[in-house]
Amino acid sequence: MFLHYKFVLILRALWFLAQIALFGLIVNRMVKEEVQVVTGGNYFYFYAAGIVVTLLYSMTVFIGYDIYEEADHGVTEYLLSLPVSRRELVLGRAIGGGLRSFLYVAPLMFVVLLLIGITDPFRILIALTALFLFAFGVAGMSITLAMSIKSHDRFDILLGVLNAFIVRLSTTMYPVAFMPPQYAAMAQFNPLTFAADIFRWGAGLEAVLLTSPFVSVFGIVVFFSVFTFLGIVFYEKRLEGGGWR
Amino acid sequence: MAIIRTFDLTKKFGEFTAVDHLNLSIEEGEIFGLLGPNGAGKTTTLLMLTTVIKPTEGTAYVGEYDITKEPDKARRLVGMAFQEPKLMWVMTPWDVLNWHAKVCGLSSSERKQRVKWALTELGLWEDRHKSVHTFSGGMRKRVEVAKILIQRPKIAIVDEPTTQIDIVGKHRIWNMIRALRDEGSTIILATNELYEADILSDRVAIMHRGKLLVCDSPKKLKDSIVGGDLIELVLEKEAAENTVEELKKIEKVVDVLAIKPNHLRIYLNHAEEVLPQITELFMKARLPIRSIRMSEPSLDDVFAHYTGLTIEEAEKQ
Ligand SMILES: Nc1ncnc2c1ncn2[C@@H]1O[C@H](COP(=O)(O)OP(=O)(O)O)[C@@H](O)[C@H]1O
Ligand SMILES: [Mg+2]
């Protein structure tokens, strides 16, 4: 299982490298002056900050696969027999899963922060705290989905599709100024937008952000709360009926 | 005082009834055996008591809590060592047990001390940092049982704790289960091993096909079998129907069970006085006896008395 994770970790780091050192740099040479302006003077930094948030998202979503693996190994029964309430169990899972991926991605976040240049440590602290909560929320969401979908394959496909939309309908890769209005309207409710915006704000990028930092933090807190709650409800419903088999 | 009471506890999987209107009462501080062949519904019953699955019908009280109404509270009184060891994402026995102890709320000093004690007692200390994936079935089973010995819950449930474990290991685990009881835990032991249920339990409930057959102390159960003695006869050929009938007519013979066509189990009183009569009967019927054994009834005979089957036969079905 840990081996499994190491493997994922190394591949993800390579993916990150390709995104930054290849895609990011090349696209940066293509973009015109007007793009550089709305992204705070440097599209490359804007992009690097976005891609690190994407990475945090995709690493955290991984916890859903653990749920299936546990069910396959019968570990679900063990977890349910432990002397803790269902709420503590789900919260523990979401926090544990969020913390794990946050720690994995943290070194890359620092690389990006160093790249951009650290200006205001206080802002960075706020941004990192918000990203921390964001990771809990994503873990809660992944657990909820894993609980509500019986088939491992379907979960896999759904995550793929969800990934395509949630990443592309956010400000992780491009500034809102270039989005068609309908897309921008949807992007402003996307947790990935909140997370990418707050990270850029924390890093001191003068980019044109879709939301204010307060809205971002608020959005992340709402996202986190809703999915933790849903996670608990689904755990209760599905598992106590023995429906995980 | 009863620490667990079940009221028509029932679990259905689709149309199939795995546990069928079970009514049990388990006393605080006793070792309560749940004996039955594979598929009798033991594990399903235990999973309901630990609130892992919900009953389809009926309920149970664990302590003062109704498992269907206050599962979070009921769960806190119970700890379970599973039939199939549950050891995944943490890899070494040391990690598995420390994690378990931590979730169960043991302080870090208690944790260290108890984990070390359990690993040592169960002969796993040397292997504590090896991956459980390299372990044999018996070793994994010992890690699973260690969880409960470390946790010391008010109600400790052990589901077939000694399968795949050698006889020395079995005795060690039995002693540890007794010690756990002496420290104040109530023990529920599910098993399909007659000897284990007999020597360990204060009281035994015998289950078959989801139903409770009978529940009492092993001694009373065995005494309840009519005829205090037992003769096992293996014949060279199959016994004819009328030979069995004639056997039943002998005074002091209470019952005859044909385990196989050439293997009879005779329940009777004063076996030593009747034995000559029995051998004579077979000689007359020209049925040579291959072997003869006198013994006392076991819990298997109690099971057979209610079902007409030995536990081994019931498992084959
Ligand atoms: N989740 C399940 N779905 C369907 N059938 C089940 C399930 N769990 C157990 N059973 C069936 O219920 C019966 C009782 O099983 P179990 O409680 O494991 O018996 P025991 O522990 O006495 O061997 C068996 O026939 C088993 O196949
Ligand atoms: Mg079982």
Side-chain angles (χ1 to χ4, degrees):
Chain A
M1 195 55 202
F2 276 123
L3 240 161
H4 191 56
Y5 256 103
K6 244 184 231 160
F7 187 66
V8 171
L9 218 59
I10 292 167
L11 285 185
R12 285 294 179 187
L14 283 175
W15 175 86
F16 179 72
L17 200 72
Q19 293 285 357
I20 293 265
L22 299 176
F23 189 82
L25 278 179
I26 295 169
V27 171
N28 192 37
R29 297 172 69 151
M30 287 162 55
V31 300
K32 297 188 202 100
E33 193 58 32
E34 54 188 299
V35 179
Q36 302 286 10
V37 171
V38 291
T39 53
N42 189 331
Y43 174 74
F44 180 64
Y45 292 166
F46 178 92
Y47 174 79
I51 209 76
V52 109
V53 168
T54 312
L55 183 67
L56 181 61
Y57 168 79
S58 58
M59 284 293 297
T60 312
V61 142
F62 215 77
I63 192 179
Y65 292 97
D66 287 3
I67 304 275
Y68 292 98
E69 205 151 323
E70 282 161 16
D72 286 348
H73 288 75
V75 176
T76 312
E77 289 167 335
Y78 168 57
L79 294 178
L80 291 174
S81 78
L82 289 169
V84 294
S85 70
R86 296 290 178 252
R87 195 175 324 132
E88 288 168 305
L89 186 64
V90 178
L91 219 55
R93 299 305 305 278
I95 290 175
L99 189 67
R100 186 175 58 188
S101 63
F102 188 81
L103 290 179
Y104 287 164
V105 178
L108 300 176
M109 283 185 202
F110 275 103
V111 169
V112 171
L113 284 173
L114 287 177
L115 212 67
I116 299 173
I118 294 173
T119 45
D120 187 345
F122 183 65
R123 269 195 181 194
I124 291 180
L125 208 66
I126 290 180
L128 289 184
T129 311
L131 285 188
F132 206 44
L133 280 183
F134 167 74
F136 297 166
V138 174
M141 182 187 83
S142 186
I143 291 170
T144 305
L145 289 177
M147 293 280 71
S148 49
I149 299 168
K150 243 185 186 168
S151 141
H152 185 295
D153 292 339
R154 281 191 190 174
F155 174 75
D156 201 38
I157 294 166
L158 181 83
L159 270 195
V161 174
L162 188 68
N163 215 25
F165 277 97
I166 207 170
V167 171
R168 279 155 195 80
L169 272 177
S170 75
T171 57
T172 47
M173 293 194 290
Y174 22 71
V176 66
F178 292 96
M179 285 188 195
Q182 308 91 303
Y183 291 180
M186 285 192 267
Q188 84 186 326
F189 295 107
N190 187 335
L192 244 71
T193 297
F194 300 140
D197 278 11
I198 198 79
F199 189 60
R200 287 176 188 133
W201 174 81
L205 284 180
E206 295 299 322
V208 180
L209 303 178
L210 182 53
T211 58
S212 83
F214 299 106
V215 173
S216 292
V217 170
F218 180 72
I220 286 170
V221 169
V222 169
F223 172 69
F224 163 72
S225 316
V226 164
F227 276 107
T228 309
F229 173 75
L230 283 182
I232 293 166
V233 171
F234 275 95
Y235 236 87
E236 287 270 345
K237 265 199 156 165
R238 277 290 300 287
L239 293 186
E240 288 204 336
W244 70 89
R245 281 171 204 267
Chain B
M1 203 191 71
I3 194 160
I4 288 184
R5 285 162 296 156
T6 70
F7 299 95
D8 285 332
L9 190 66
T10 301
K11 182 73 192 180
K12 291 185 181 169
F13 295 108
E15 291 292 294
F16 177 74
T17 307
V19 176
D20 195 355
H21 295 87
L22 195 65
N23 288 290
L24 287 176
S25 169
I26 298 173
E27 297 297 314
E28 184 161 6
E30 74 176 337
I31 299 182
F32 188 85
L34 210 51
L35 175 69
N38 276 327
K42 305 181 295 294
T43 300
T44 305
T45 304
L46 301 180
L47 289 179
M48 286 191 277
L49 294 179
T50 47
T51 74
V52 170
I53 57 178
K54 277 183 181 162
T56 316
E57 198 189 315
T59 190
Y61 277 80
V62 171
E64 59 201 277
Y65 308 116
D66 185 330
I67 56 166
T68 59
K69 296 201 177 96
E70 296 182 285
D72 281 347
K73 286 184 178 152
R75 193 180 310 122
R76 285 181 201 280
L77 300 179
V78 187
M80 174 158 173
F82 287 84
Q83 184 176 348
E84 304 294 336
K86 310 285 187 192
L87 318 161
M88 203 185 48
W89 22 271
V90 260
M91 304 285 288
T92 68
W94 177 259
D95 290 336
V96 169
L97 296 177
N98 266 298
W99 192 84
H100 182 82
K102 202 167 167 181
V103 175
C104 294
L106 265 66
S107 74
S108 82
S109 63
E110 260 179 328
R111 205 153 73 212
K112 258 203 184 126
Q113 183 230 326
R114 285 195 204 172
V115 169
K116 181 171 181 189
W117 163 80
L119 285 171
T120 311
E121 288 289 314
L122 292 168
L124 292 166
W125 182 248
E126 296 289 309
D127 299 313
R128 68 189 178 282
H129 293 311
K130 286 197 187 139
S131 163
V132 289
H133 290 296
T134 65
F135 278 21
S136 67
M139 283 166 94
R140 290 184 198 196
K141 193 84 205 186
R142 279 184 278 170
V143 179
E144 183 68 25
V145 173
K147 284 181 189 166
I148 230 66
L149 299 173
I150 291 166
Q151 182 182 350
R152 301 185 192 163
K154 192 149 179 56
I155 299 162
I157 296 177
V158 283
D159 196 355
E160 305 196 6
T162 63
T163 39
Q164 298 191 13
I165 292 179
D166 59 84
I167 189 68
V168 179
K170 277 183 203 277
H171 276 280
R172 186 164 297 161
I173 287 177
W174 290 337
N175 284 333
M176 289 171 92
I177 288 175
R178 287 192 188 103
L180 186 62
R181 189 269 302 275
D182 294 343
E183 279 177 36
S185 294
T186 303
I187 315 276
I188 307 177
L189 161 82
T191 184
N192 57 358
E193 288 185 35
L194 299 157
Y195 182 69
E196 183 168 75
D198 197 346
I199 61 150
L200 216 52
S201 314
D202 297 310
R203 288 190 308 140
V204 178
I206 302 183
M207 282 183 80
H208 184 48
R209 293 185 182 152
K211 288 200 172 81
L212 175 68
L213 297 179
V214 61
C215 176
D216 213 326
S217 71
K219 181 163 183 343
K220 280 197 183 140
L221 287 175
K222 287 183 283 186
D223 286 350
S224 75
I225 296 295
V226 274
D229 295 328
L230 194 155
I231 294 175
E232 294 224 24
L233 269 178
V234 182
L235 306 166
E236 293 290 349
K237 288 187 294 193
E238 292 186 6
E241 195 70 30
N242 62 343
T243 320
V244 174
E245 287 311 312
E246 264 182 66
L247 207 52
K248 282 184 184 167
K249 278 187 206 133
I250 296 177
E251 201 194 347
K252 287 176 183 143
V253 168
V254 185
D255 198 5
V256 181
L257 182 72
I259 294 174
K260 291 186 193 130
N262 70 335
H263 184 169
L264 303 179
R265 197 178 272 180
I266 305 162
Y267 300 96
L268 72 179
N269 295 306
H270 307 290
E272 56 290 340
E273 288 173 23
V274 192
L275 193 55
Q277 240 176 302
I278 293 174
T279 44
E280 201 183 302
L281 188 146
F282 283 103
M283 259 152 61
K284 272 191 192 149
R286 296 181 185 280
L287 275 172
I289 295 171
R290 188 186 297 165
S291 74
I292 204 164
R293 197 168 64 91
M294 287 212 301
S295 66
E296 286 171 358
S298 71
L299 290 177
D300 202 20
D301 300 300
V302 180
F303 184 79
H305 176 75
Y306 285 93
T307 61
L309 299 165
T310 64
I311 287 194
E312 207 181 311
E313 282 176 309
E315 298 211 328
K316 280 189 202 133
Q317 286 188 346

